[in-house]
Amino acid sequence: MTLNDILHSAQGGQAVANLGAQFGLAPADAEKAVQAMIPAFSAALQQIVSNPAAIAGILKELASGDHAASYAPGQAPAPGAAGGDALGRIFGSPQAVETVVQHVSQVSGVSPDIVRSMLPAVASILIGGLAHAMASLGLSGVLSQLADAMSAPGAAGQAAAPAPGSSGGVFGSLISMFGGGHATANPETAALAAGFATLSAMFVSGVQVAQAHQAAVSGIAQSFTQPPPGTGV
């Protein structure tokens, strides 16, 4: 499952049409807007995967249940503060969000004001959909465990500097955090790492984009910044 799959399955398959109605866009224009947004969300989430210190906020959003209504069948309520929180967690700063706004507007032809208003709603739908997908695989508990562990005092710093002898990267960080030792992880740690791998595999955009568009998104991704551990967004 990809982010594109999640968005188009949301709200009983009517999410894009509902977004168009909510923001005054024709269905084709709403589709253009979300197709331009998804690669940016994907780039940001994939960057977070490579930065263990930034994972805690995303896991909190996923485990909170605050975005379930955004994904559920029917016309979703306005995401309110939850949508803005999710957007901030994903892109890291208002400046990065504004860069995405301008890029999406340029690619889709939708006005920056509308794109700016849509982004929190799309962020909430995607977070709700990712949580729903994990729940459908019986992995809701993994999200909660990871969120709790990454939110513990000092956890993000420990993940950022895995213990010597771990496998390195995010999975090495998880193993060192959860007591896997220098060799193979214990079964509980292995289950958490496997659950995280399942989640991160869903961060692929699933959108075919022109080479120039992809190059622009890759460039924009360099502007994404994450707040220091423990400071919020």
Side-chain angles (χ1 to χ4, degrees):
M1 179 166 289
T2 67
L3 296 183
N4 194 42
D5 294 330
I6 287 169
L7 186 61
H8 285 84
S9 65
Q11 299 171 20
Q14 296 300 307
V16 176
N18 290 341
L19 286 166
Q22 182 179 353
F23 295 102
L25 294 175
D29 290 331
E31 183 67 33
K32 287 179 183 177
V34 300
Q35 290 292 292
M37 291 176 188
I38 289 172
F41 279 106
S42 175
L45 289 167
Q46 290 180 341
Q47 183 156 305
I48 288 170
V49 165
S50 68
N51 179 4
I55 291 170
I58 297 298
L59 291 169
K60 283 183 182 179
E61 296 291 338
L62 288 164
S64 70
D66 291 346
H67 305 279
S70 295
Y71 180 82
Q75 177 71 57
D85 288 347
L87 192 67
R89 295 287 190 187
I90 293 168
F91 292 119
S93 72
Q95 294 78 14
V97 171
E98 188 59 27
T99 301
V100 172
V101 167
Q102 297 302 322
H103 172 74
V104 170
S105 178
Q106 182 179 14
V107 170
S108 67
V110 175
S111 78
D113 287 344
I114 293 177
V115 172
R116 195 176 292 110
S117 297
M118 285 181 69
L119 278 170
V122 174
S124 188
I125 290 169
L126 291 175
I127 293 294
L130 287 165
H132 176 84
M134 291 292 282
S136 72
L137 296 171
L139 296 174
S140 290
V142 169
L143 288 178
S144 297
Q145 287 177 277
L146 286 168
D148 289 345
M150 291 298 294
S151 299
Q158 182 180 351
S166 72
S167 59
V170 67
F171 299 113
S173 299
L174 289 171
I175 288 170
S176 64
M177 280 180 61
F178 299 128
H182 293 6
T184 58
N186 62 48
E188 181 180 359
T189 302
L192 290 172
F196 192 86
T198 298
L199 172 66
S200 61
M202 299 180 198
F203 294 166
V204 175
S205 73
V207 173
Q208 297 293 325
V209 298
Q211 185 174 356
H213 181 188
Q214 186 59 54
V217 169
S218 297
I220 290 170
Q222 302 308 308
S223 73
F224 299 156
T225 58
Q226 299 299 324
T231 63
V233 176

